[in-house]
Amino acid sequence: MNKQQEHLNAISSLQGRLTKENKAYMRKLHAYLMLASAFHEQEERATELLLSIYQDVLDAQADGQSAEEFLGKDSKQLADELLSDLSPIRWYYGLRLIGFLALI
């Protein structure tokens, strides 16, 4: 099992411990971060970040804070900030991705 899969399994386990409200917030963040990370060729790094965030949200939840209170109202903005540190995708990978999406 590769490292990314291990992180995804750990995230899945942590999700089950979140409140309904926090689970909904984290699902949005998770989906956006993973989709956007594909444009940076950094899915593994994004998964590591997500695992860390899930752990932090669980700690905040134990202290009575919601994910929104802890991370901010805009999960998309948070994901964009996290991804801004990652290198962008190379242009030829971008073209390949666009072509793949066009086929779908």
Side-chain angles (χ1 to χ4, degrees):
M1 183 180 308
N2 67 25
K3 196 170 194 165
Q4 184 175 0
Q5 188 59 47
E6 289 176 22
H7 291 320
L8 289 172
N9 290 342
I11 287 170
S12 180
S13 174
L14 295 173
Q15 280 177 333
R17 297 170 45 199
L18 293 174
T19 64
K20 184 178 179 180
E21 176 187 69
N22 287 347
K23 203 177 285 188
Y25 181 95
M26 291 303 293
R27 261 194 220 118
K28 286 183 209 171
L29 177 63
H30 187 144
Y32 185 77
L33 192 57
M34 294 311 293
L35 178 64
S37 71
F39 289 96
H40 293 267
E41 299 181 295
Q42 297 284 341
E43 292 92 349
E44 187 172 328
R45 179 69 182 124
T47 306
E48 288 176 18
L49 285 169
L50 270 172
L51 178 57
S52 177
I53 293 168
Y54 269 94
Q55 291 165 333
D56 291 343
V57 167
L58 272 174
D59 291 341
Q61 181 177 285
D63 292 337
Q65 276 188 301
S66 70
E68 187 175 283
E69 291 168 335
F70 182 69
L71 297 172
K73 289 186 182 232
D74 191 352
S75 58
K76 180 184 177 300
Q77 180 182 349
L78 174 63
D80 287 339
E81 289 171 11
L82 293 170
L83 290 169
S84 68
D85 293 334
L86 302 178
S87 59
I89 193 169
R90 292 182 195 100
W91 67 270
Y92 51 88
Y93 287 119
L95 287 176
R96 189 176 73 188
L97 185 61
I98 290 169
F100 178 71
L101 292 173
L103 287 174
I104 295 174

